[in-house]
Amino acid sequence: MAKHEHGSMDTTSQEKTFDNFMNWVKWSSIVIIGILVFMAIFAR
């Protein structure tokens, strides 16, 4: 079994996935807040 060296793993794929997830969360939040503001302005 190869000896593990801390910090030697390539995390490029995980970092890209996390960045994409955070981008999705940001835009989803913006859309949801926009819908809520729209509903608050035009509520009867």
Side-chain angles (χ1 to χ4, degrees), residues 3-34:
K3 182 174 168 117
H4 174 71
E5 294 181 27
H6 185 72
S8 64
M9 182 175 152
D10 181 21
T11 59
T12 306
S13 177
Q14 289 88 346
E15 290 173 4
K16 184 178 178 191
T17 300
F18 181 74
D19 289 340
N20 288 337
F21 172 75
M22 291 305 293
N23 195 34
W24 181 83
V25 168
K26 174 183 70 174
W27 285 109
S28 297
S29 299
I30 290 170
V31 168
I32 290 169
I33 291 169

